[in-house]
Amino acid sequence: MSTLGVLSFTQQAWEQVLAKVKRAVVYLDAACAESLHWGCGSSRLLEAVGNSACYLREFEPAAVGGGAEQPKAVFVLSCLLKGRTVETLRDIICRSHFQYCVVVTAVNHAVHLTANHVPPAAAAELEGQQPVFEQLEEKLCEWMGNMNYTAEVLHVPLLLASAAPHLALTPAFASLFPLLPQDVHILNRARPDKRRLGNLAEVDATTLTRELLLTIRCLVSGLSSLCEHLGVREECFAVGSLSRIIAADLANFAPAKNRRKTATGRASVVFVDRTLDLTGAVGHHGDNLVEKILSVLPQLPGHTNDVMVNMVELTALQAEEENQNMVAPGCLAQSNDPAARALWEALLNTKHKEAVMEVRRHLVEAASRENLPIKMSMGRVTPGQLTSYIHLFKNNLKALGNHCGLLQLGLATVQTLKHPQTAKWDNFLAFERLLLQSIGESTMSVVLNQLLPMIKPSNQRTNDDYSPEELLVLLIYIYSVSGEFSVDKDLGEGEEKVKKALAQVFCEESELSPLLQKITGSTQLSQKQAVSLST
């Protein structure tokens, strides 16, 4: 499968959108904004808009409508045009003065037919027609207040966020997660006793909830569009229950069947359930700088795959906590800066030590090109050394503008190297190696007993101790690498001790971290809630 083909798939999709946005107010949902962020950047979109009176806005119910001087709107959406999405469209348009509306959806019309309960046989007869889109176009004119106004609804496959030539992400499906054994009980609630499912192996597309099935079909729609762009006939392989369902749905997707008849190339597509390799997600064995950057720096709001880089270092502001939000954050995505993108790709593909040296080399070369008074130093790269190079650009506005992307990646590196969590990385790695050795030689109950002394309340923890969130990561690691193990009395007792210790720690936290708040549904646990959680 061609790397250039995957990149051009995203670029060509956005070119279709950019052709529609001239002098328009543009509304994007979070997933499409992330695809734009990695693909061509907001600056490219603003250039295409070409009107200072028009803006980029988040697609949400409370979004500001268009004024009298803003007659055109373009909505770029990653989801089905149904339910709350259509209600939000209606609300925004009704409080605006639009005379021309374009709605771009990343979801194929065939999936919209499925979502509107059109049987497959009837959908096949509608090939080449787009009744769902045409009906929405009429609604758009109705909401604008004049049936003679212009409305367009079209499908553009904005599936991917191209983070690198060999790495494409699907932000619209960040929350799509493999089914777990307890999900079988949830699915069985809607099934008669005689047709209850015994385990995940018995789950297929017909047993899923309609909402999950439509989410899978939306993903399949995008993957089919990618294969069409590449001109390939795909052969699918699946590992895991949800992956098996997705692969089967792609194989049976009606537009995909027609496409394969004329495809000249071939490609293999491998689907793997994330739950079959949680070790890779929570382990610390990767010697990669980007992995550490993504782990320790705060997430960029509204994004699933980028981080906030503190840019105060490049301003005259003091690096005090109250000044952190006064300057817009930097990020990792540098789609319009070839030099920064080259560095980003190097960071992805090299080990930690080589990556840090690569950052230094790029900063030195950039400073030399700008004739900045750089002092060369060899040997080990330190955060202080990188910071001194970055500060050379601080008072040179031209140099700052020329190398803004490179400086963002440089600051991301410095802030990661100085972050206290990075110092604990080796501690995690050492403990994980000890766990692997213990699991090979001891029972699971012995391993849990090794973890127990590390579970400490906040008033007893030092910077080297594990936080509640980190303890959960270690537990996931332990159970992921253990595989199948026998359950006995000792294991039951060991698990109960760990549960009670964790519940007590959660209860004594002054405020739970965002992740723990999601898990527990509370910012702070009472003793009663902690007991309930442990059981």
Side-chain angles (χ1 to χ4, degrees):
M1 189 177 290
S2 168
T3 299
L4 290 176
V6 174
L7 287 173
S8 65
F9 173 69
T10 303
Q11 291 166 354
Q12 285 185 20
W14 277 107
E15 287 300 326
Q16 292 179 61
V17 175
L18 297 177
K20 295 288 183 180
V21 301
K22 188 174 183 180
R23 298 180 181 176
V25 180
V26 182
Y27 295 85
L28 301 102
D29 66 15
C32 286
E34 192 162 359
S35 174
L36 172 72
H37 177 72
W38 287 100
C40 57
S42 58
S43 59
R44 179 75 181 85
L45 181 57
L46 287 169
E47 287 173 14
V49 171
N51 187 346
S52 59
C54 297
Y55 309 93
L56 304 187
R57 291 174 180 162
E58 184 180 0
F59 179 76
E60 59 175 357
V64 177
E69 74 284 4
Q70 298 165 325
K72 181 180 177 182
V74 177
F75 299 86
V76 189
L77 309 174
S78 62
C79 53
L80 282 163
L81 304 178
K82 190 173 174 62
R84 293 193 65 179
T85 301
V86 172
E87 292 172 7
T88 302
L89 275 171
R90 180 198 62 203
D91 293 345
I92 294 173
I93 293 170
C94 286
R95 58 172 172 264
S96 304
H97 295 79
F98 299 138
Q99 299 174 27
Y100 182 5
C101 278
V102 180
V103 177
V104 177
T105 173
V107 182
N108 189 297
H109 184 265
V111 185
H112 283 84
L113 291 176
T114 302
N116 284 276
H117 306 281
V118 177
E125 294 177 4
L126 292 170
E127 186 176 354
Q129 303 176 52
Q130 297 188 329
V132 177
F133 290 176
E134 290 166 5
Q135 288 172 16
L136 182 56
E137 287 173 353
E138 291 182 6
K139 284 290 184 183
L140 293 174
C141 290
E142 182 183 316
W143 297 333
M144 285 188 283
N146 189 326
M147 298 305 291
N148 291 320
Y149 285 166
T150 305
E152 292 180 64
V153 179
L154 64 152
H155 162 237
V156 176
L158 300 171
L159 170 71
L160 302 178
S162 300
H166 294 88
L167 177 63
L169 311 165
T170 55
F173 303 96
S175 61
L176 180 61
F177 198 75
L179 296 170
L180 300 172
Q182 54 263 41
D183 292 322
V184 174
H185 302 298
I186 297 172
L187 293 174
N188 278 334
R189 291 174 189 169
R191 300 175 66 82
D193 291 342
K194 292 182 179 180
R195 298 182 58 197
R196 288 184 177 273
L197 304 167
N199 52 54
L200 284 176
E202 297 177 17
V203 176
D204 58 24
T206 62
T207 62
L208 298 180
T209 62
R210 182 164 182 78
E211 181 183 5
L212 178 55
L213 185 60
L214 285 174
T215 300
I216 290 171
R217 187 62 57 84
C218 290
L219 173 59
V220 163
S221 160
L223 293 173
S224 181
S225 296
L226 173 60
C227 291
E228 181 177 10
H229 173 81
L230 297 173
V232 297
R233 183 173 66 255
E234 72 279 8
E235 185 176 5
C236 296
F237 302 89
V239 184
S241 56
L242 188 66
S243 293
R244 174 171 43 82
I245 294 170
I246 294 172
D249 202 57
L250 178 57
N252 296 319
F253 188 48
K257 287 182 177 179
N258 296 332
R259 164 180 56 76
R260 291 189 199 101
K261 294 175 183 176
T262 56
T264 55
R266 296 182 64 185
S268 297
V269 182
V270 182
F271 297 95
V272 182
D273 280 12
R274 174 80 271 182
T275 45
L276 297 179
D277 181 29
L278 286 176
T279 311
V282 300
H284 294 74
H285 42 265
D287 186 23
N288 182 268
L289 178 61
V290 172
E291 184 179 357
K292 295 174 184 177
I293 291 173
L294 293 172
S295 296
V296 305
L297 295 190
Q299 195 173 57
L300 192 64
H303 289 250
T304 57
N305 298 287
D306 208 344
V307 297
M308 290 195 293
V309 181
N310 188 340
M311 304 298 290
V312 172
E313 289 269 7
L314 291 172
T315 71
L317 291 170
Q318 296 292 319
E320 305 292 340
E321 189 171 344
E322 59 266 25
N323 293 331
Q324 303 303 309
N325 296 324
M326 293 181 67
V327 179
C331 60
L332 301 176
Q334 304 297 332
S335 53
N336 294 315
D337 187 334
R341 194 166 180 88
L343 174 59
W344 166 246
E345 290 168 12
L347 300 185
L348 279 171
N349 295 308
T350 55
K351 291 186 176 181
H352 176 97
K353 184 178 178 181
E354 289 82 0
V356 174
M357 293 177 68
E358 193 71 9
V359 173
R360 178 174 67 179
R361 184 178 71 80
H362 275 74
L363 287 171
V364 169
E365 290 178 356
S368 299
R369 283 196 295 272
E370 298 293 341
N371 295 316
L372 298 175
I374 191 164
K375 293 181 180 179
M376 285 295 297
S377 57
M378 303 303 290
R380 183 170 172 268
V381 184
T382 65
Q385 183 187 98
L386 295 178
T387 301
S388 69
Y389 295 157
I390 290 168
H391 280 175
L392 294 173
F393 296 82
K394 185 173 180 177
N395 297 316
N396 188 321
L397 192 59
K398 183 185 176 196
L400 199 62
N402 289 342
H403 304 283
C404 186
L406 170 61
L407 294 172
Q408 290 176 65
L409 294 176
L411 282 170
T413 301
V414 170
Q415 289 161 25
T416 299
L417 294 177
K418 294 169 72 173
H419 199 283
Q421 194 66 31
T422 303
K424 293 176 73 173
W425 192 276
D426 290 338
N427 294 345
F428 268 106
L429 182 58
F431 187 62
E432 286 166 5
R433 286 174 175 168
L434 178 63
L435 284 173
L436 286 175
Q437 183 179 353
S438 299
I439 289 168
E441 299 173 352
S442 311
T443 62
M444 178 61 90
S445 59
V446 172
V447 174
L448 292 177
N449 285 332
Q450 289 179 336
L451 181 67
L452 199 57
M454 300 179 184
I455 306 175
K456 299 178 181 179
S458 56
N459 60 357
Q460 296 179 23
R461 287 200 302 268
T462 66
N463 291 335
D464 293 330
D465 290 320
Y466 296 112
S467 68
E469 191 171 310
E470 291 165 347
L471 290 166
L472 290 181
V473 168
L474 285 174
L475 279 170
I476 293 170
Y477 184 86
I478 290 169
Y479 280 90
S480 297
V481 299
S482 297
E484 297 292 331
F485 52 84
S486 58
V487 178
D488 55 24
K489 182 182 177 182
D490 289 341
L491 177 59
E493 291 176 353
E495 288 183 337
E496 282 304 312
K497 289 177 183 177
V498 171
K499 284 181 185 178
K500 288 179 180 178
L502 278 174
Q504 188 62 37
V505 166
F506 289 175
C507 188
E508 294 183 14
E509 292 292 302
S510 57
E511 185 176 3
L512 297 178
S513 69
L515 175 61
L516 294 180
Q517 288 180 32
K518 285 183 180 180
I519 294 172
T520 63
S522 177
T523 58
Q524 188 176 24
L525 286 185
S526 66
Q527 192 72 37
K528 183 177 179 181
Q529 287 174 309
V531 171
S532 174
L533 186 67
S534 69
T535 56

